[in-house]
Coordinates of all heavy atoms in Angstrom, one line a residue:
G184 N -6.6 -11.5 17.5 CA -7.8 -11.5 16.6 C -7.8 -10.5 15.5 O -8.5 -10.6 14.5
Y185 N -7.0 -9.5 15.7 CA -6.8 -8.4 14.7 C -5.7 -9.0 13.7 O -4.6 -8.5 13.6 CB -6.3 -7.1 15.4 CG -6.1 -5.9 14.5 CD1 -7.2 -5.3 14.1 CD2 -4.9 -5.5 14.1 CE1 -7.1 -4.1 13.2 CE2 -4.7 -4.4 13.3 CZ -5.8 -3.7 12.9 OH -5.7 -2.6 12.1
L186 N -6.2 -10.0 13.0 CA -5.3 -10.6 12.0 C -4.8 -9.5 11.0 O -5.7 -8.7 10.5 CB -5.9 -11.7 11.2 CG -6.0 -13.1 11.9 CD1 -7.0 -13.1 13.0 CD2 -6.5 -14.1 10.9
P187 N -3.6 -9.4 10.7 CA -3.1 -8.4 9.7 C -3.7 -8.7 8.3 O -3.9 -9.9 7.9 CB -1.6 -8.6 9.7 CG -1.3 -9.9 10.2 CD -2.4 -10.2 11.2
I188 N -4.0 -7.7 7.6 CA -4.4 -7.9 6.2 C -3.2 -8.4 5.4 O -2.1 -7.9 5.6 CB -4.8 -6.5 5.6 CG1 -6.0 -5.9 6.3 CG2 -5.2 -6.7 4.1 CD1 -7.3 -6.8 6.3
P189 N -3.3 -9.5 4.7 CA -2.2 -10.0 3.9 C -1.5 -8.9 3.2 O -2.1 -8.1 2.5 CB -2.8 -11.1 3.0 CG -4.0 -11.5 3.8 CD -4.5 -10.3 4.5
K190 N -0.1 -8.9 3.2 CA 0.6 -7.8 2.6 C 0.3 -7.5 1.2 O 0.2 -6.3 0.7 CB 2.1 -8.0 2.8 CG 3.0 -6.8 2.4 CD 4.4 -7.0 2.7 CE 4.7 -6.8 4.2 NZ 6.2 -6.8 4.5
K191 N 0.0 -8.6 0.4 CA -0.2 -8.3 -1.0 C -1.6 -7.7 -1.2 O -1.8 -6.9 -2.2 CB -0.1 -9.6 -1.8 CG -1.3 -10.6 -1.6 CD -1.0 -11.8 -2.5 CE -2.2 -12.8 -2.6 NZ -1.9 -13.9 -3.5
L192 N -2.5 -7.9 -0.3 CA -3.8 -7.2 -0.4 C -3.7 -5.7 0.2 O -4.3 -4.8 -0.3 CB -4.9 -7.9 0.4 CG -5.2 -9.3 -0.1 CD1 -6.3 -10.0 0.7 CD2 -5.6 -9.3 -1.6
A193 N -2.9 -5.6 1.3 CA -2.8 -4.3 1.9 C -2.1 -3.3 0.9 O -2.5 -2.1 0.8 CB -1.9 -4.4 3.1
A194 N -1.2 -3.9 0.1 CA -0.5 -3.0 -0.9 C -1.5 -2.5 -2.0 O -1.2 -1.5 -2.6 CB 0.6 -3.8 -1.5
T195 N -2.6 -3.2 -2.2 CA -3.6 -2.7 -3.2 C -4.6 -1.8 -2.6 O -5.6 -1.4 -3.3 CB -4.3 -3.9 -3.8 OG1 -5.1 -4.6 -2.9 CG2 -3.3 -4.9 -4.4
G196 N -4.5 -1.6 -1.3 CA -5.5 -0.6 -0.6 C -6.5 -1.3 0.2 O -7.4 -0.6 0.8
V197 N -6.5 -2.6 0.4 CA -7.5 -3.3 1.2 C -7.2 -3.0 2.7 O -6.1 -3.2 3.2 CB -7.4 -4.8 1.0 CG1 -8.4 -5.5 2.0 CG2 -7.8 -5.2 -0.4
K198 N -8.2 -2.4 3.4 CA -8.0 -2.0 4.8 C -8.8 -2.9 5.8 O -8.5 -2.9 6.9 CB -8.5 -0.6 4.9 CG -7.5 0.4 4.2 CD -8.0 1.9 4.5 CE -7.0 2.9 3.9 NZ -6.7 2.7 2.5
D199 N -9.8 -3.7 5.3 CA -10.6 -4.5 6.2 C -11.0 -5.8 5.5 O -11.2 -5.7 4.2 CB -11.8 -3.7 6.7 CG -12.4 -4.4 7.9 OD1 -11.8 -5.3 8.5 OD2 -13.5 -4.0 8.3
M200 N -11.1 -6.8 6.2 CA -11.7 -8.1 5.8 C -12.4 -8.7 6.9 O -12.1 -8.4 8.1 CB -10.6 -9.1 5.3 CG -9.8 -8.6 4.1 SD -8.4 -9.7 3.8 CE -9.2 -11.2 3.3
V201 N -13.3 -9.7 6.7 CA -13.9 -10.4 7.8 C -12.8 -11.4 8.4 O -12.1 -12.1 7.6 CB -15.1 -11.2 7.4 CG1 -15.6 -12.1 8.5 CG2 -16.2 -10.3 6.9
R202 N -12.6 -11.3 9.7 CA -11.5 -12.1 10.3 C -12.2 -12.7 11.5 O -12.9 -12.1 12.3 CB -10.3 -11.3 10.7 CG -9.5 -10.8 9.5 CD -8.7 -9.6 9.8 NE -9.4 -8.3 9.6 CZ -8.9 -7.1 9.8 NH1 -7.6 -7.0 10.3 NH2 -9.6 -6.0 9.7
I203 N -12.0 -14.0 11.7 CA -12.6 -14.7 12.9 C -11.6 -15.6 13.6 O -10.7 -16.1 13.0 CB -13.8 -15.6 12.4 CG1 -13.4 -16.8 11.7 CG2 -14.8 -14.8 11.6 CD1 -14.5 -17.8 11.4
S204 N -11.8 -15.7 14.9 CA -10.8 -16.5 15.7 C -11.4 -16.8 17.1 O -12.5 -16.2 17.5 CB -9.5 -15.8 15.8 OG -9.6 -14.7 16.7
D205 N -10.7 -17.6 17.9 CA -11.0 -17.7 19.3 C -10.2 -16.8 20.2 O -10.1 -17.0 21.4 CB -10.9 -19.2 19.7 CG -9.6 -19.9 19.2 OD1 -8.7 -19.2 18.7 OD2 -9.5 -21.1 19.3
A206 N -9.5 -15.9 19.5 CA -8.6 -15.0 20.2 C -9.4 -13.8 20.7 O -10.6 -13.6 20.5 CB -7.5 -14.5 19.3
R207 N -8.6 -12.9 21.4 CA -9.2 -11.6 21.8 C -8.6 -10.5 20.8 O -7.8 -10.8 19.9 CB -8.7 -11.2 23.2 CG -9.3 -12.1 24.3 CD -8.8 -11.7 25.7 NE -7.4 -11.8 25.8 CZ -6.5 -10.8 26.0 NH1 -7.0 -9.6 26.1 NH2 -5.2 -11.0 26.0
M208 N -9.0 -9.3 21.0 CA -8.5 -8.2 20.2 C -8.4 -7.0 21.1 O -9.2 -6.8 22.0 CB -9.5 -7.8 19.1 CG -9.2 -6.6 18.3 SD -10.4 -6.2 17.0 CE -11.7 -5.5 17.9
S209 N -7.3 -6.2 21.0 CA -7.1 -5.0 21.7 C -8.3 -4.1 21.5 O -8.8 -4.0 20.4 CB -5.8 -4.3 21.3 OG -5.8 -3.0 21.9
G210 N -8.7 -3.4 22.6 CA -9.8 -2.5 22.5 C -9.4 -1.3 21.6 O -10.3 -0.5 21.2
T211 N -8.1 -1.1 21.4 CA -7.7 0.0 20.5 C -7.8 -0.4 19.0 O -7.6 0.5 18.2 CB -6.2 0.3 20.8 OG1 -5.4 -0.8 20.4 CG2 -6.0 0.6 22.3
A212 N -8.1 -1.6 18.7 CA -8.1 -2.1 17.3 C -9.5 -1.9 16.7 O -10.5 -1.6 17.3 CB -7.7 -3.6 17.2
F213 N -9.6 -2.1 15.4 CA -10.8 -1.8 14.6 C -10.8 -2.8 13.5 O -9.9 -3.4 13.1 CB -10.8 -0.4 14.1 CG -9.5 0.0 13.4 CD1 -9.4 -0.2 12.1 CD2 -8.5 0.6 14.1 CE1 -8.2 0.2 11.4 CE2 -7.3 0.9 13.5 CZ -7.1 0.7 12.1
G214 N -12.0 -2.9 12.9 CA -12.2 -3.8 11.8 C -13.4 -4.8 12.0 O -14.0 -4.9 13.1
T215 N -13.7 -5.6 11.0 CA -14.8 -6.5 11.0 C -14.3 -7.8 11.5 O -13.9 -8.7 10.8 CB -15.5 -6.7 9.7 OG1 -15.7 -5.4 9.1 CG2 -16.8 -7.4 9.8
I216 N -14.2 -8.0 12.8 CA -13.4 -9.0 13.5 C -14.3 -9.8 14.5 O -14.8 -9.2 15.5 CB -12.2 -8.4 14.2 CG1 -11.3 -7.7 13.1 CG2 -11.4 -9.5 14.9 CD1 -10.2 -6.9 13.7
V217 N -14.5 -11.0 14.3 CA -15.2 -11.9 15.1 C -14.3 -12.6 16.1 O -13.3 -13.1 15.7 CB -16.0 -13.0 14.3 CG1 -16.7 -14.0 15.3 CG2 -17.0 -12.3 13.4
L218 N -14.6 -12.5 17.4 CA -13.7 -12.9 18.5 C -14.4 -13.8 19.5 O -15.6 -14.0 19.5 CB -13.3 -11.6 19.3 CG -12.6 -10.5 18.4 CD1 -12.8 -9.2 19.1 CD2 -11.2 -10.8 18.2
H219 N -13.5 -14.4 20.3 CA -14.0 -15.2 21.5 C -14.8 -16.4 21.1 O -15.7 -16.8 21.9 CB -14.8 -14.3 22.5 CG -14.1 -13.1 22.9 ND1 -14.7 -12.2 23.8 CD2 -12.9 -12.5 22.6 CE1 -13.9 -11.2 24.0 NE2 -12.8 -11.3 23.2
I220 N -14.6 -17.0 19.9 CA -15.4 -18.1 19.5 C -15.2 -19.2 20.5 O -14.1 -19.6 20.9 CB -15.0 -18.6 18.1 CG1 -15.4 -17.6 17.0 CG2 -15.5 -20.0 17.8 CD1 -15.1 -18.0 15.6

């Protein structure tokens, strides 16, 4: 669920985006991430 920021956006300094999935996310991860749909 912690989808990586697309490399071309990460290279410009983007650190977070809204990301959604039916996956899980490690408790060690961070970001605006919607999970367990």
Side-chain angles (χ1 to χ4, degrees):
Y185 184 75
L186 280 72
I188 301 297
K190 186 173 284 189
K191 73 177 189 179
L192 297 181
T195 67
V197 175
K198 293 182 172 60
D199 194 14
M200 297 173 65
V201 175
R202 289 159 274 181
I203 73 172
S204 72
D205 46 11
R207 294 178 299 115
M208 176 178 78
S209 169
T211 66
F213 50 89
T215 311
I216 299 171
V217 175
L218 304 157
H219 307 183
I220 289 179

